[in-house]
Amino acid sequence: MTTSFSEIQEPFKITSIVNQNSYLVGGELKIWRGDTSNVYSTISSTKDYKPTLLGTIPTLGKKEALSALDAAVSAYNKGQGLWPTMKVVDRIACMEKFVEQMKTKREEVVKLLMWEIGKNLPDSEKEFDRTVEYIYDTIEDYKQMDRNSAKFEKNSGVNAHIRRGPLGVVLCLGPYNYPLNETFALLIPALMMGNTTIFKPAKIGVLLLSPLLEAFQNSFPKGVVNVIYGRGRTIATPIMRDGRVDVLALIGNSKSANALQNEHPKSNRLRMVLGLEAKNPAIVLPDADLDLAINECIAGSTSFNGQRCTALKVLYVHEVVVEEFNKRFSEKVDALKFGNPWEDGVKLTPLPEPDKPSYIQGLIDDAIEKGAKIINSKGGDTTENYIFPAVLYPITKEMRVYEEEQFGPVIPVIPFSDIEEPLDEMADSNYGQQVSLFGKDVKTLAPLIDTLVNLVCRVNLNSSCQRGPDAYPFTGRKDSAVATLSVHDALRSFSIRTFVASKDNDYNNAILKDLLDSRASNFVSTDYIL
């Protein structure tokens, strides 16, 4: 399907392109007069299909990348910089200033989310609003952390004032599928804890950050947030190779994470905060409520075209119910509406990666060649910017779609007779993020849950896999994650416990009292934030 420009509603038309000709380094929006890269949308604005030019971004090189690193290192200043030593209340004020300015850019960011990555209107609005909420929740959790630290402890004759401190310089690399929310789930807690940052947006979903550059510039001290553009290999590699980065924060692929980690000259010093790929399964037991299971598996496998690490990427269905499941599931997949992101009721939208339809077709062809069939009537139907979700059955281990994280609209279904079959395959998998478990018999569920919690990090009972609520831990085993991202845990992932200790005697106690009374130290403080 393609949509002509005349059919696009006025608020969603692209009337001018975004020429992002500056980048943020050292508190200055530097004008770039070198090479630029065009940013296209796979959504067409004309009757005859043609990708839409959305704008341009700077194509920076090694020199500019290292200048951003210099700025972040200078702002941290061996832990003596304004930002890492700032009072908690003042750091919070900077973050509140930023989020208030961010809220004024909602309409621009939501529109670019739809055009750049093809996310439908409700989900684009949800991503923006959820990100704002995440920032406010992070501020509140940080306040509570500070309240809990506003005291001295005494043990074995030693007084201790324990807080969490920053780690240093953070290189932050976000994903294209949640270019605002998941990027900020790294960037915001890193900043909140007093780290300085270098941030490179994803290749797709890059222009939507342009409206926020000035807010970053005027909300934080110079050098605390540095935003650079270009190819990861060109600008992230020299930054890592330099050795002054303390934390690699990346949501993406484990191959990229391993490659960057290996560039660091002292990888033992490098803290990793990673959200990586997954192959989350659903397990449908014989006693499952099929209406519920089918609806949740539809949401889990097709939401944002399956382009989520938390998407259901393989469905294990017990052989007793697999025939009925397949029939009803396939009908519901075929009933999903495809269209442009702003159209009412649209569930399937254009794929942002131009080569994704051909990749998905390759997975389908391989599976068919090895014995699978497309069991839904629309499966594999292709347009210039989309391939309709194909439900493939039966899937075996020899097929690519069994092994690879497809990250797109293809749904493999595997029948099983013994529950040990999916359990063994999950144990052998490279991934361990989440699972969806559908059933109701407690005697069956109880031992299954006890096993599954040791294979993945979240068991979703009768519901699809998901990240939220953001208050809950978000992590994974094996190749799926390093560290934990949630409002509470992310602040800890980007910090380290540090404290001042003194022997409990009159001499030291008098000094501590003077420190507290003078309020000369931002660290040694029992001030309580309401």
Side-chain angles (χ1 to χ4, degrees):
M1 170 195 165
T2 57
T3 303
S4 71
F5 188 75
S6 61
E7 293 171 326
I8 299 173
Q9 295 168 272
E10 196 64 39
F12 308 119
K13 287 181 179 178
I14 295 297
T15 55
S16 61
I17 65 173
V18 180
N19 287 315
Q20 180 56 49
N21 64 351
S22 62
Y23 60 101
L24 180 61
V25 167
E28 181 184 348
L29 281 170
K30 295 181 177 289
I31 301 300
W32 176 249
R33 294 183 173 85
D35 292 342
T36 60
S37 300
N38 290 335
V39 178
Y40 288 96
S41 171
T42 60
I43 300 169
S44 181
S45 296
T46 58
K47 188 172 183 179
D48 296 323
Y49 179 78
K50 182 182 178 183
T52 300
L53 178 65
L54 299 179
T56 61
I57 57 169
T59 306
L60 304 181
K62 177 180 178 181
K63 178 183 175 183
E64 292 74 33
L66 293 179
S67 73
L69 176 60
D70 288 340
V73 170
S74 177
Y76 194 70
N77 191 22
K78 304 172 187 174
Q80 302 171 67
L82 174 62
W83 187 246
T85 60
M86 187 179 283
K87 288 183 178 180
V88 168
V89 67
D90 294 331
R91 207 182 288 155
I92 288 172
C94 291
M95 190 63 74
E96 289 175 334
K97 180 179 180 182
F98 170 76
V99 72
E100 287 302 311
Q101 293 181 39
M102 175 182 169
K103 288 191 295 186
T104 68
K105 305 296 183 181
R106 183 179 188 267
E107 186 178 330
E108 296 172 66
V109 174
V110 166
K111 182 176 179 179
L112 284 166
L113 266 169
M114 290 189 288
W115 277 95
E116 284 198 81
I117 67 170
K119 185 166 288 188
N120 69 29
L121 177 58
D123 285 349
S124 294
E125 291 174 333
K126 181 181 177 182
E127 177 164 351
F128 188 94
D129 296 340
R130 179 183 175 188
T131 305
V132 169
E133 183 181 356
Y134 179 89
I135 297 174
Y136 282 124
D137 288 346
T138 299
I139 290 170
E140 287 305 311
D141 202 274
Y142 185 48
K143 287 180 180 178
Q144 187 59 51
M145 179 191 293
D146 190 68
R147 293 183 197 114
N148 295 340
S149 302
K151 62 183 179 181
F152 277 81
E153 299 179 19
K154 185 163 73 173
N155 194 298
S156 301
V158 177
N159 290 314
H161 189 54
I162 306 170
R163 292 184 177 275
R164 297 197 73 89
L167 296 165
V169 176
V170 179
L171 175 61
C172 178
L173 305 171
Y176 82 78
N177 59 333
Y178 286 89
L180 185 70
N181 183 260
E182 290 203 339
T183 297
F184 278 33
L186 299 175
L187 189 62
I188 297 303
L191 290 169
M192 200 78 266
M193 292 311 303
N195 302 284
T196 60
T197 60
I198 307 145
F199 161 45
K200 189 197 87 66
K203 180 175 68 174
I204 303 172
V206 57
L207 288 175
L208 60 91
L209 292 155
S210 296
L212 304 178
L213 283 189
E214 286 189 8
F216 279 125
Q217 181 193 24
N218 58 41
S219 299
F220 299 99
K222 66 178 185 179
V224 171
V225 181
N226 303 279
V227 183
I228 54 177
Y229 301 88
R231 295 189 62 196
R233 191 173 298 173
T234 304
I235 59 178
T237 299
I239 289 174
M240 290 299 293
R241 194 173 288 162
D242 177 280
R244 289 181 289 169
V245 165
D246 301 292
V247 185
L248 173 62
L250 179 149
I251 295 180
N253 186 274
S254 58
K255 291 180 180 178
S256 300
N258 289 335
L260 284 171
Q261 182 183 16
N262 291 337
E263 291 291 347
H264 200 286
K266 295 187 177 180
S267 58
N268 61 296
R269 295 186 181 184
L270 185 67
R271 175 77 66 95
M272 307 284 279
V273 181
L274 309 174
L276 304 172
E277 66 263 35
K279 189 84 172 176
N280 291 341
I283 299 175
V284 181
L285 300 174
D287 66 339
D289 180 330
L290 280 192
D291 287 330
L292 173 64
I294 288 167
N295 285 337
E296 290 293 325
C297 287
I298 290 284
S301 60
T302 67
S303 178
F304 193 42
N305 301 312
Q307 298 166 123
R308 302 176 298 120
C309 65
T310 55
L312 289 175
K313 298 193 176 80
V314 59
L315 309 181
Y316 290 97
V317 185
H318 196 277
E319 62 183 13
V320 170
V321 294
V322 70
E323 185 176 345
E324 183 182 358
F325 178 93
N326 282 347
K327 179 178 181 296
R328 291 164 59 184
F329 182 80
S330 296
E331 289 172 353
K332 287 221 167 190
V333 171
D334 281 343
L336 296 172
K337 180 181 178 181
F338 171 75
N340 280 333
W342 43 83
E343 295 176 29
D344 290 340
V346 162
K347 298 296 183 183
L348 308 174
T349 53
L351 297 166
E353 297 175 283
D355 58 348
K356 183 58 69 76
S358 62
Y359 167 74
I360 296 296
Q361 187 63 56
L363 295 180
I364 294 171
D365 292 344
D366 174 78
I368 290 173
E369 184 181 322
K370 294 170 181 172
K373 293 182 178 179
I374 299 175
I375 60 173
N376 61 317
S377 60
K378 291 185 181 179
D381 288 355
T382 304
T383 65
E384 294 90 344
N385 56 12
Y386 198 66
I387 181 167
F388 200 90
V391 184
L392 297 175
Y393 177 85
I395 296 300
T396 61
K397 293 182 180 181
E398 294 74 30
M399 299 173 187
R400 286 175 54 200
V401 76
Y402 170 86
E403 189 70 28
E404 297 176 26
E405 185 201 24
Q406 62 267 40
F407 218 74
V410 61
I411 308 164
V413 181
I414 302 176
F416 72 93
S417 57
D418 185 341
I419 191 60
E420 292 301 321
E421 296 169 34
L423 292 180
D424 287 345
E425 291 182 14
M426 288 177 66
D428 291 340
S429 168
N430 290 325
Y431 312 116
Q433 189 195 77
Q434 300 186 29
V435 64
S436 290
L437 178 62
F438 296 94
K440 64 182 178 182
D441 181 66
V442 172
K443 290 182 180 178
T444 303
L445 291 174
L448 260 180
I449 290 171
D450 291 350
T451 298
L452 289 169
V453 293
N454 295 325
L455 296 177
V456 296
C457 291
R458 175 169 170 164
V459 177
N460 299 276
L461 185 58
N462 292 311
S463 63
S464 60
C465 298
Q466 59 184 322
R467 174 170 179 152
D470 288 321
Y472 292 160
F474 180 60
T475 187
R477 299 174 184 269
K478 297 183 277 191
D479 287 351
S480 287
V482 175
T484 301
L485 292 171
S486 67
V487 171
H488 181 76
D489 294 299
L491 290 170
R492 284 147 185 81
S493 295
F494 285 101
S495 62
I496 191 167
R497 296 186 86 197
T498 183
F499 65 101
V500 174
S502 66
K503 290 183 178 179
D504 184 21
N505 55 48
D506 291 343
Y507 180 73
N508 282 337
N509 291 348
I511 294 172
L512 289 177
K513 186 176 185 305
D514 285 346
L515 270 170
L516 292 171
D517 290 344
S518 69
R519 297 188 174 180
S521 170
N522 292 343
F523 185 93
V524 181
S525 170
T526 54
D527 288 347
Y528 194 87
I529 300 175
L530 294 175

